Structures are given as C-alpha cells and as structure tokens.
Amino acid sequence: MSQEYAIQGLSCASCAHAVEVALQAVAGVQSAHVNLATEKVVVEADAEVCPLVMQAAVQAAGYNLVLPLVTQNFAVSGLSCASCAANLEAAVGRLAGLASAVVNFATQVLTVTYPLGAIDVEQISQAVEATGYHAQLLTDQASASQAQIQQEADQAAQAKASHQAALWRRFWLSAIFALPLLCLAMAEMVGLTLPTWLSHRGGGQLFVGLQLALTLPILWLGRSFFLNGFKHLVKGHPNMDSLVALGTSAAVAYSLYSSIQVWLGNHHAAMSLYYESAGVILTLVTLGKYFEARSKGQTSAAIQALIKLAPQEAQVLREGQEVTLPLDQVQVGDLVRVRPGQKIPVDGRVVEGQSWVDESMLTGESLPVAKKVGDQVVGASLNQQGSLIVETNKVGQDTTLAQIIHLVQAAQGSKAPIAQLADRVSAVFVPVVMTLALVAGLAWYLIGGQSWAFALTISIAVLVIACPCALGLATPTAIMVGTGKGAEQGILIKSGTALEMAHQVDAVVLDKTGTLTQGQPQVTDVLPLTGWTPDQLLALAAAAEVNSEHPLGQAIVAGARERELALPEVT
C-alpha cells in the first residue's frame, strides 16, 4: 500500500536520507522515498503498519511526519433533541487523538476528523454506544459508486418515512384516549355539567378510575419518552425526553396518590388529579416529534434531486455492439452513444457527431452550447438535437456532478457560527431547566406558602414546556434547505459560514449576459431596411432557418409562426 506524507524540518539531502532510513527501519515498511523539493515522502508499507509508529520513528530522527486528516461520517440513531447532539459531541470529542467531532441534529450524522491511524472506527462506535446511542459508518463518498450512494440514500429515506409513519400512528392513537380524558377532567371547569354518577360528586371512584384507564394506554404508547429519558438521566446526560419523563411521571405519581385517597374514602382528593396533564402532554409532544421528523426528512430532498440528475444507465459501444449498462459499470475509455433528447451519462470527449448541449445545470447559461468532435461534455447535461459518441474520461465520484453533490453535502453538514452558539446553549439547557423547575417549586412552597401539591404542579409545568429542539434544529435545517434549494437553482454555497455571511452582501455582479433570462431566446424587434416591411424580412429569415438546429434560428422560426407568416420555399 502506497501513501504520501508531508515532512517538516528537512533542510538538505542528508535530512532526506535520514528520514528514509528511519522509515525503512519500521517493520512492514518496504520502501520510503523522500522528495526534498516538495518535502514529501512516499511510503510503501503493509496495510497493518500503523502511521503513528512511522510518525514516532521520524520524530526520533529529529523530523516530523505530518499525518493526513481523515474525515468519516456516522449515521447516529437515538438522538431525540439538540441536547442529545451536544452530549454526543462532547463525549466523542474527548477521545484521544480526535481533531473534531460534529453532530448535525437535522441529518442525524456524526462527522469525525482525526489524523490517519490515530483512532479507529471501533473506538468511535464504542464511545457513541457508551453515551446511549448507536452509530453506523456511512459509505465513503469519495470511493462509493453513484449506485451505492443512491441505494444508501433510498434506505435512509425509507427509514425516515417509516419513523414518521410510526410517530403519526402513535399520535392519533394517543389522541383517541387523550380527548375523552381531557373532556372528563376539564368539563366542569369550563361550565359543562357531567352526570352525578360520572363526576367527582358521585363519590369519585368511577371518575378517578376512568381517568386512570384512559391514561394508561397513552403512557404505554409514549413509553419511549420514559425509556430514553430516564436512561440518559442515569448516564448523566439528560435530554428533552428526560424533561418530559420527569414532568409526566411526577403528574401521574401524584394522581395515583390522590386516586388511592379517593378509593379510601377521601372524595375531595378527586379534585387533585393531573392524569389529563400527563396524557395531553405526551400526546402533544408526540405530535411535535412528528413535525420535527417531517422537517428533517424534507431537508435531504435537494441531494436526492441532484443525484437523480444523472441517468442511471448508459448505451456503451463494446466490440461493435451497443449494450445498455448501469452507470457504475461504465469505465474510463468506454465509448458511449448519446441520442437526441438524452442526458449525457458521463464526463468525456466527443469523438463522433455534433449537437447542441444544454449545460445550464452546471454553468447556469440558458443557451445551449455547440459540441463537435474534440469538445468536452459534462455528465447530466442534456443533448438536444444531434447524436453523439462520447469517449469517457471521468466516471463515478470523479464526475463534475459528483463533485457538486459532494460540495452540497459538505455545505449541508457544516455549521454556521450562529449554530455554534445554539450548541453551547443546548449543552446546558436541560440541566438548567431541571434546576429552575426545582427552584420554582421550592419557592412557591417555602416562600409563597402554597401546598406541596401546588408547588409540584409548578415544577411539572416548567419541565414539560421546555423544549430545546427548536433551538438546535432550526439552524441546521435552515442551512440544509438553503444550500439544497440553491443547488437546485444552480447556486452552489460553499459552507454554512458563507451562507450566514451572505446577509452582509450589498451588491451582486453577474458577468454573463444570458443568466438573468427566461432561458429561451425569442425575437423582440425586427428592423428592416427601407423598402421592406418587418413581416417580409422575418418571413425570409425564418425560411432560411426553418431546418436549422441553432437555438437562435429556432427562435426566428418561432417568431414568424407567432405572427402566422407564410414562409417562402428556399432553394
């Protein structure tokens, strides 16, 4: 395996020789060649040789071997709020040797950067698992085929759709129980009268029992709040689910205590039930989770649109025969036939034919570009009239479209400066809210002179209304939607930082004439010489252009037909 590294501290040929000797002394290294001019070394070594060992050998010789940075993406499951993302970033960021760890809550992706060989995938996965989440390494975009990326994207989209459907089902099932529970608990408070046998006036046992019976299914449907919330609370990383779980658990526990009092004969305790608070809170938070999942699911639509710009198959000429192959089987040097109206599947050079090609997806230029033998064409551009045979010179991740997709993905995964502020707030949000809930309850009980039951309801209210998700979700979602929509319109945004800085722009200068047009040339004026009418001149010009494939010629013909002019025969 060959790998190139930068070397620091070289001053002469003797330095280069010393580095070569130091590296060749490492077990598993076959050869090392230092280029003094570029200050780089090319090392041939076995795959199991650790770069850190080579770095240590070079440092022992008095120089520094600079290890290249590796970036890897992991799909993370189990994130329920912005605090989860902040907790995970902090936990993974503590790994020795890691340069950076960034979690995008909107995409549920962990991006880690580290020097080559400094850490392995298993260590990162274990650190994620220890925090209470699960990480799966995503396909390397630089080496994956378009088909692999598409397959991975389809699987992710299917998983998101399934998650959304599950949340929606959980919401409406919870609502079936929450609505009658709310009506039963609140009817008399809003002026409605319940039958005596059903209300607290009739002894209260049935009144209490029905509320408990309606609450239990909601608790079961929303059990993930309690499982996740208390799990992360025990691990010392409380999140939004922890807030919901604490608040609703307190409400249910106090209501159970009051219910027991009613069943023991204390009918006044029927007025101290908070079952409907727990049920309605779980139902509404589930609805919020559904809307959140929808917003996250819609953010990847732009990437999907870009991936689908390129055709999935190509007509390849092999041994004199035309065969249809999947795009990931096309190789550099293959001859590909592109018929009129088809998208060009690969980057390459025209070796036969001539045509007009619409490259607006790349350049933004609305007018088609003439292509002849020897001209370069770009994958995903549209061949308009003529038939072309293209010799492939770029495939897969080397194509221009793949580079655009990679740029958009990098921009969507980047964090704007404002997002870093939101992350810092989210990291301490949940503990602060829990502290405030405790302080608020104690203040009403000790200073306000209220009952402990009233103080408990105050603490519950503070816990359940606090939700840091909007804080952590809004910025990454805005960046993803902004960069994605820009890419759909041919505007490539380099990063979240660049997008945030765009609000400071005072003027935009465009250097191409055809950019701000409808993308379709048309006749606007006809200026004939003396003795000719505009219609006569337009009819003659259109007659000459009627068989032309030139976009301006077609515009002249279209202008004559709009005026319903009779075109003379051209001989």
Coordinates of all heavy atoms in Angstrom, one line a residue, residues 502 505-511 516:
A502 N -23.7 35.9 3.8 CA -24.4 36.4 2.6 C -25.3 37.6 2.9 O -25.6 38.5 2.1 CB -25.2 35.3 1.9
V505 N -24.0 41.1 2.1 CA -23.7 41.4 0.7 C -24.6 42.7 0.3 O -25.8 42.7 0.6 CB -24.0 40.3 -0.2 CG1 -23.9 40.7 -1.7 CG2 -23.0 39.1 0.0
D506 N -23.9 43.7 -0.3 CA -24.7 44.9 -0.7 C -25.0 44.8 -2.2 O -26.0 45.4 -2.6 CB -23.8 46.1 -0.4 CG -23.5 46.3 1.1 OD1 -24.5 46.1 1.8 OD2 -22.4 46.6 1.4
A507 N -24.2 44.2 -3.0 CA -24.4 44.1 -4.4 C -24.0 42.8 -5.0 O -23.0 42.2 -4.5 CB -23.7 45.3 -5.1
V508 N -24.7 42.3 -6.0 CA -24.3 41.1 -6.7 C -24.0 41.5 -8.2 O -24.9 42.1 -8.8 CB -25.5 40.1 -6.7 CG1 -25.1 38.8 -7.4 CG2 -25.8 39.7 -5.2
V509 N -22.8 41.1 -8.6 CA -22.4 41.4 -10.0 C -22.4 40.1 -10.8 O -21.8 39.2 -10.4 CB -21.0 42.0 -10.0 CG1 -20.6 42.4 -11.4 CG2 -21.0 43.3 -9.1
L510 N -23.2 40.1 -11.9 CA -23.3 39.0 -12.8 C -22.5 39.3 -14.1 O -22.7 40.3 -14.7 CB -24.7 38.6 -13.1 CG -25.6 38.3 -11.8 CD1 -27.1 38.4 -12.2 CD2 -25.2 37.0 -11.3
D511 N -21.6 38.3 -14.5 CA -20.8 38.6 -15.6 C -21.2 37.9 -16.9 O -20.5 37.9 -17.9 CB -19.3 38.2 -15.3 CG -19.2 36.7 -15.1 OD1 -20.2 36.0 -15.0 OD2 -18.1 36.2 -15.1
L516 N -29.7 36.1 -16.5 CA -31.0 36.6 -16.0 C -32.0 36.7 -17.1 O -32.4 37.8 -17.5 CB -30.8 38.0 -15.3 CG -29.9 38.0 -14.1 CD1 -29.7 39.4 -13.6 CD2 -30.4 37.1 -13.1

